[in-house]
Amino acid sequence: MFTEESVSFSCEINVSSGWEYLWYRDGTPLAESSNKYSISSVGKTNTGSYTCQAKRGRTQVFLSDSSQTMHLEIEEKKPKPLMTQQPDDHKVYTGESVSFKCSLEISSGWSYSWYKDGVLLTNNNASFSIHNATSLNNGIYKCMARRDKTMFNTEHSDGRSLHISEIPVPLLKRGSQWLDVFPSESVKFSCGMEIRSDWTYTWYRNGQVINVDDAVSFGTDGTTLSIREASASHRGQYSCSGTYKTRLVKSIHSSVLTLDVYDTKPSIKLMQNPDYKLMHTGDSVSFTCHINISSGWEYLWYKDGTELAVFGISHNISSVVTTNTGSYTCKAKRGEKNVFHTDQTQAISLNVQERPRAAVVLLTDWSEVFSTDSLVLKCVVQESQDAWNYTWFKEGQPVNMLLSEKHTVTPQNNPEQSTYSCRGIRTGRPSYSKDSSSFATKNLLLKRRVLLSISGCLFFGIIAVFIGCIVLRVIRKQAYDDEKPEEATLFLTMAQLKDRGDAPSPLVDYITDESLNAPSKEVDENGTICSESTPLPITPQEDQAVTTESLDTTENNSGLISFKQ
């Protein structure tokens, strides 16, 4: 018993009458002689084993045997009942059944009271049940025990919070990036609750339960659905539902996802812009890989069967070179683990040739440098038989003039002596040529000036030499005339020689005199040794010629003798 409870013991003997009663607690007599012993409010001191005896008579007392012992245990602290819940979860879903049980392990004879949020409920049983729970049943539940005989109440049990929740709807997600797939592509869906993981899942296609087969498999607890190789039979609307693992709670179906499976692989097309089979170096070209169905594509590019390090839907070449010549194709792929590839496109052949180069030709001849101070330049496109127009550039900037093949450079329009280049243009292809090499007019004008300077120097040098020769001749002649002897004594005329018999004749003496002294030998050109004593082979005709010449001589000015041949 518990403190403040009341208790009453009675001692009964059903034989004869006139009995008095004796009461004992733990063998100690108590001050009570009636057949009842009552304690209105027990305390800890009342704990013990109680017995009774009956007696009668005064002179000769008769005592009955002692009654059976009744032990009284007094608890000072009020007990607290234990309340349990089934299902043992603070969250219960709509439509479920919930039961509470209140129990007290100490003593017996208890009745129970139930409370929700502090309000007494009409139920006195040890259990309390809720069927088809709704959110109206949300609250904190407690219980309390009481003895009807003693009106003793225990403390309230610990409260249990009950929260009735709506059954969650599973969330269906696609594991693939797209819901329209091609034959042999893989597909994956996932199904799950946002809050808890205590669920298993059932899958449906067009409202019918999906079972495992060669192409379809499920993940743990049915959280995923995988289709290894999709086919036309897998088309349809997919949904899922969840079942709670430990209770009979089933969710409604999720929203649907529609899977579309194409009958064949997609067609892919390669396009070129501009659409020229023949390109020239410096042209730009763009290839586009076009597929007009579904999404999520990555593109692979090939040249002559070799994969290129190019990514994206387009392959752009801003300035082609001859090494870009080749056959181009592309294909598309998508997916990560199970990669799906399209077929390769048709091939597009690209032929790249060198662009013809322009050249600047100087038309002004070197012989004209003395008669003109202008230079005429001509632009020609090498190794080309096509008709061209031309654009001229001065120091890299276009020259505003007609599209002429010739350009005249004068000191007036080119005082700074710039560099010129040209470019061929036309309406056909190639539409322009490579720029020519730069032509430096200042070098030509410098050469022209140097040539003019050299020519002037030569001209004036010759004039100076000629005048110098004349002056030198005059000066030397005057000095010679002052030093030479008188001509009258130095030379004789032919008449004087004829009058004098002893007059010497040097030529005759030289020819005929064999006794000249000191002969001098010389070697002629033919190797013959000649000397003054060697007779000259003079023929009679030669003698006659000499004689004739002697007779024909006439006296000249100042006594000089001339010989006429």
Side-chain angles (χ1 to χ4, degrees), residues 341-355:
H341 290 87
T342 66
D343 296 331
Q344 280 197 355
T345 62
Q346 80 287 0
I348 292 182
S349 296
L350 181 66
N351 184 17
V352 181
Q353 294 182 358
E354 284 289 342
R355 185 176 299 277

Side-chain angles (χ1 to χ4, degrees), residues 71-350:
H71 183 76
L72 180 63
E73 183 71 28
I74 306 299
E75 292 286 343
E76 294 182 330
K77 185 179 180 181
K78 280 188 175 183
K80 178 187 288 187
L82 176 65
M83 187 177 72
T84 57
Q85 175 185 334
Q86 186 64 34
D88 188 11
D89 198 333
H90 72 282
K91 180 179 287 188
V92 178
Y93 294 104
T94 301
E96 282 194 278
S97 295
V98 184
S99 63
F100 298 98
K101 183 177 181 181
C102 194
S103 60
L104 193 62
E105 301 296 334
I106 299 175
S107 190
S108 59
W110 302 101
S111 62
Y112 299 92
S113 300
W114 292 91
Y115 301 86
K116 173 192 172 188
D117 297 330
V119 178
L120 181 64
L121 301 177
T122 59
N123 187 8
N124 296 325
N125 297 323
S127 62
F128 173 67
S129 298
I130 301 173
H131 301 285
N132 196 17
T134 65
S135 59
L136 296 177
N137 300 120
N138 292 343
I140 298 176
Y141 290 80
K142 294 181 180 180
C143 69
M144 184 181 69
R146 66 182 301 174
R147 292 187 201 269
D148 292 335
K149 292 182 179 180
T150 63
M151 303 303 291
F152 173 77
N153 295 326
T154 65
E155 293 185 358
H156 287 86
S157 67
D158 293 331
R160 294 294 300 260
S161 178
L162 179 64
H163 180 73
I164 307 299
S165 302
E166 293 293 333
I167 298 175
V169 179
L171 180 63
L172 177 62
K173 298 180 181 179
R174 63 183 185 184
S176 308
Q177 296 180 1
W178 40 86
L179 289 174
D180 52 337
V181 297
F182 299 92
S184 77
E185 273 197 284
S186 62
V187 181
K188 188 174 183 179
F189 296 103
S190 65
C191 186
M193 301 295 184
E194 294 183 354
I195 300 176
R196 306 190 61 147
S197 60
D198 301 333
W199 298 83
T200 59
Y201 300 94
T202 304
W203 290 89
Y204 306 89
R205 180 173 58 242
N206 298 329
Q208 302 297 319
V209 176
I210 301 175
N211 297 315
V212 176
D213 58 25
D214 293 339
V216 177
S217 61
F218 301 108
T220 304
D221 296 330
T223 53
T224 60
L225 180 149
S226 299
I227 302 175
R228 185 168 54 87
E229 291 186 356
S231 63
S233 62
H234 296 120
R235 295 178 185 143
Q237 292 183 332
Y238 285 76
S239 62
C240 64
S241 65
T243 302
Y244 205 67
K245 289 182 179 180
T246 57
R247 306 202 297 268
L248 296 177
V249 178
K250 191 169 184 178
S251 72
I252 63 174
H253 286 201
S254 68
S255 59
V256 299
L257 289 177
T258 301
L259 178 65
D260 189 12
V261 182
Y262 298 101
D263 294 326
T264 59
K265 283 187 173 183
S267 60
I268 184 170
K269 184 178 181 181
L270 178 62
M271 295 182 292
Q272 176 187 342
N273 184 34
D275 189 14
Y276 297 133
K277 300 302 180 184
L278 176 62
M279 308 289 289
H280 293 85
T281 53
D283 286 342
S284 63
V285 65
S286 175
F287 296 99
T288 302
C289 205
H290 183 67
I291 183 170
N292 61 353
I293 193 170
S294 195
S295 60
W297 299 105
E298 297 179 19
Y299 297 90
L300 306 175
W301 291 91
Y302 300 87
K303 176 193 170 191
D304 298 328
T306 302
E307 186 172 353
L308 301 175
V310 177
F311 306 97
I313 194 172
S314 297
H315 175 32
N316 301 315
I317 307 175
S318 59
S319 181
V320 298
V321 294
T322 54
T323 54
N324 295 128
T325 298
S327 178
Y328 290 81
T329 58
C330 71
K331 68 178 181 180
K333 72 171 185 177
R334 67 179 184 180
E336 295 180 358
K337 292 184 179 179
N338 298 321
V339 181
F340 174 77
H341 290 87
T342 66
D343 296 331
Q344 280 197 355
T345 62
Q346 80 287 0
I348 292 182
S349 296
L350 181 66

Side-chain angles (χ1 to χ4, degrees), residues 361-378 406-415 417 420 439-449 452:
V361 180
L362 177 63
L363 296 184
T364 302
D365 192 77
W366 286 107
S367 61
E368 302 176 29
V369 296
F370 298 104
S371 60
T372 180
D373 61 352
S374 64
L375 299 175
V376 179
L377 308 179
K378 181 181 179 181
K406 295 180 181 180
H407 181 60
T408 302
V409 180
T410 65
Q412 289 75 28
N413 65 14
N414 187 31
Q417 301 178 17
Y420 286 83
F439 190 90
T441 59
K442 59 183 179 181
N443 293 336
L444 291 176
L445 293 176
L446 178 61
K447 292 177 182 178
R448 177 178 179 273
R449 290 171 182 173
L452 289 174

